[in-house]
Amino acid sequence: MTELFDTSVSGEQYLEALLETLYMVSISLGIGALAGIPIGITLVVARPGGVRPNRWVYGVLNVVVNVVRSVPFVILMVAIIPLTRLIVGRSIGTTAALVPLTIYIAPLIGRLIESSLLEVSSGIVEAADSMGANLWQTIRYFLLPEAKGSIILAMTTSCVGLIGATAMAGVIGGGGVGDLAISYGYQQFDTVAIVATVVILVLVVQGLQSIGNAAAARARRG
């Protein structure tokens, strides 16, 4: 019975794994947002009935986003190993995991940003047009401010999704809490390690979601 509560994982290892997870999430979310937000804006602007409709741009971008999002993350990690090795010089490790994580999250952010901007009333765009606003001004001063609350929730959702993806990155030795769960919890049948990693991930997700919800509520009130 006592063997169920034995663990070979130290507190320092849990802390290191948590820091690795936060490192992967923050870097890939930042880079993914730099690509995903313009993708989402372009999808809204170029779609039929958008501010500047362009069926070719919208069609190609829409297909690319759908294709990347349709590939399960575990398969994506394996499929782009040559690209990962080309960019960072190796295919395993915490830094190497940033490549598939970024490619995974950018289209998701783009789609969520698109949904957020589509929630903005068409009257806002009409008001911008009546004031003589150009495309950039319409996006910067009308669409984005009106969708700020939804965009915050979209980024929160993306962040939570990334946490789940970093756990799967442990399959290829990506480091972080997921790698700890696989290396000790699964391969060494360490029940305590499994439970501890689950608790850590749940607490992190709950904390981020609470912060995101509060920030979105404040943005909508403002």
Side-chain angles (χ1 to χ4, degrees):
M1 181 68 178
T2 56
E3 292 180 357
L4 293 175
F5 299 97
D6 291 336
T7 180
S8 55
V9 184
S10 66
E12 288 78 11
Q13 286 175 292
Y14 286 118
L15 178 59
E16 181 181 0
L18 175 60
L19 293 176
E20 288 176 346
T21 294
L22 295 177
Y23 164 75
M24 288 187 286
V25 169
S26 60
I27 299 299
S28 56
L29 183 68
I31 300 175
L34 290 176
I37 292 175
I39 288 174
I41 293 173
T42 303
L43 286 170
V44 171
V45 169
R47 70 186 295 107
V51 181
R52 296 289 188 278
N54 187 314
R55 65 189 184 93
W56 291 108
V57 171
Y58 177 80
V60 171
L61 195 56
N62 188 55
V63 168
V64 171
V65 168
N66 288 339
V67 167
V68 177
R69 289 194 61 208
S70 67
V71 180
F73 180 66
V74 173
I75 297 177
L76 178 66
M77 284 191 299
V78 177
I80 66 168
I81 281 178
L83 176 63
T84 301
R85 189 178 291 116
L86 177 66
I87 293 175
V88 300
R90 57 183 183 274
S91 59
I92 61 172
T94 304
T95 301
L98 294 176
V99 178
L101 285 170
T102 301
I103 293 175
Y104 162 78
I105 202 61
L108 175 60
I109 292 176
R111 195 59 86 187
L112 291 173
I113 294 297
E114 177 191 19
S115 298
S116 297
L117 293 177
L118 288 176
E119 292 178 4
V120 176
S121 171
S122 59
I124 299 296
V125 177
E126 293 172 1
D129 187 56
S130 66
M131 295 178 187
N134 59 30
L135 178 60
W136 165 248
Q137 291 170 333
T138 300
I139 295 170
R140 172 67 180 84
Y141 297 107
F142 293 88
L143 285 177
L144 291 179
E146 286 295 321
K148 185 164 62 173
S150 295
I151 289 174
I152 291 173
L153 288 178
M155 296 305 296
T156 303
T157 300
S158 300
C159 190
V160 171
L162 266 177
I163 292 174
T166 60
M168 288 187 283
V171 174
I172 60 168
V177 176
D179 188 43
L180 195 69
I182 292 172
S183 300
Y184 291 90
Y186 177 71
Q187 296 178 353
Q188 298 186 26
F189 305 101
D190 190 333
T191 305
V192 174
I194 287 288
V195 173
T197 52
V198 169
V199 170
I200 291 172
L201 290 175
V202 168
L203 290 175
V204 171
V205 168
Q206 289 295 324
L208 288 173
Q209 191 66 60
S210 297
I211 293 172
N213 290 343
R218 188 177 302 111
R220 284 170 172 162
R221 287 196 302 270

